[in-house]
Amino acid sequence: GQQVMQIPQYQHVQEGEDFTTYCNSSTTLSNIQWYKQRPGGHPVFLIQLVKSGEVKKQKRLTFQFGEAKKNSSLHITATQTTDVGTYFCAGPRNNNDMRFGAGTRLTVKP
Amino acid sequence: SQTIHQWPATLVQPVGSPLSLECTVEGTSNPNLYWYRQAAGRGLQLLFYSVGIGQISSEVPQNLSASRPQDRQFILSSKKLLLSDSGFYLCAWVGTRGSEAFFGQGTRLTVV
């Protein structure tokens, strides 16, 4: 069955450094979504990518969807302490089944 | 607007005791509903999902069960809790095919 793999599992950066997390699927995805979970909180939707090769930006966050629609990345430029949390990608296995990657936990040292 | 309610927020239960976690959704009809479990510092494990009343798909055979007695109600249960059932349980709903998931606040369960 479809698996959504996400790397790295952990990333510790100095404030101001960039951060990237990668998501790979064993099958083609109709879309991919990204979520952020703050420590102690619940995942919150950030963005959805649908088109092959799509790139979207939200301030310092850049999201990409691969040409084959099997991989995606989230890049944060110049991290801040407010970026701390776990970032998840998610891809629907079928119309009903939402699978999440294992998440990348980001810590930022001020 | 749509909202999702999940309770309780925290729960401490002895081994062997039963469990019932409830999730309700407001402001939408016929949502897809999901139960996830998150172990400390880990990812989201899909436990159950439901596309309609009485329809439950189980992803991981374990000590838990789920029920959907009403369109906007999803219940996670156990007859006898194990220590390994400890974790952060999250309910989520998805309104239309392929759209974003909305999560409840979560229940932090500690089995002692």
Side-chain angles (χ1 to χ4, degrees):
Chain A
Q2 174 200 314
Q3 291 189 11
V4 178
M5 309 299 292
Q6 193 172 351
I7 57 170
Q9 188 175 1
Y10 303 97
Q11 187 78 56
H12 179 71
V13 300
Q14 188 77 35
E15 188 173 22
E17 293 181 339
D18 292 355
F19 159 77
T20 305
T21 173
Y22 301 90
C23 187
N24 293 285
S25 170
S26 55
T27 59
T28 301
L29 299 170
S30 59
N31 69 76
I32 195 156
Q33 301 172 5
W34 285 93
Y35 294 77
K36 178 182 179 181
Q37 182 181 27
R38 294 183 184 276
H42 60 280
V44 175
F45 175 79
L46 293 176
I47 208 161
Q48 176 174 282
L49 304 171
V50 179
K51 299 177 182 178
S52 169
E54 189 170 15
V55 178
K56 287 189 176 180
K57 292 191 175 184
Q58 289 180 350
K59 298 183 180 179
R60 295 177 293 104
L61 277 61
T62 302
F63 305 84
Q64 294 188 341
F65 201 10
E67 294 291 340
K69 300 183 74 173
K70 288 186 174 183
N71 58 75
S72 181
S73 65
L74 158 58
H75 179 82
I76 302 179
T77 304
T79 55
Q80 300 175 358
T81 54
T82 54
D83 294 326
V84 165
T86 301
Y87 293 84
F88 293 97
C89 61
R93 186 169 72 168
N94 52 40
N95 291 343
N96 307 312
D97 184 350
M98 183 66 74
R99 297 282 168 156
F100 284 78
T104 296
R105 185 192 291 182
L106 172 66
T107 55
V108 179
K109 184 177 181 181
Chain B
S1 63
Q2 302 92 344
T3 57
I4 179 169
H5 302 279
Q6 186 182 343
W7 66 92
T10 59
L11 192 59
V12 180
Q13 292 285 103
V15 169
S17 64
L19 172 74
S20 181
L21 300 181
E22 187 165 345
C23 173
T24 60
V25 180
E26 295 178 358
T28 186
S29 59
N30 198 30
N32 286 354
L33 296 173
Y34 304 82
W35 278 110
Y36 291 91
R37 178 170 61 197
Q38 186 176 33
R42 306 295 291 275
L44 298 171
Q45 179 188 28
L46 178 62
L47 301 176
F48 302 95
Y49 69 91
S50 172
V51 301
I53 296 174
Q55 301 180 60
I56 308 294
S57 295
S58 174
E59 287 301 306
V60 182
Q62 53 199 323
N63 188 39
L64 301 169
S65 63
S67 63
R68 187 166 176 177
Q70 301 180 42
D71 181 46
R72 286 170 283 181
Q73 184 184 32
F74 203 23
I75 298 172
L76 182 69
S77 304
S78 174
K79 292 182 179 179
K80 290 185 178 181
L81 285 169
L82 305 172
L83 288 174
S84 57
D85 291 324
S86 294
F88 191 42
Y89 288 82
L90 289 155
C91 179
W93 75 272
V94 176
T96 56
R97 185 178 66 192
S99 66
E100 68 190 87
F102 296 91
F103 285 84
Q105 298 294 317
T107 296
R108 199 163 301 278
L109 171 67
T110 304
V111 182
V112 296

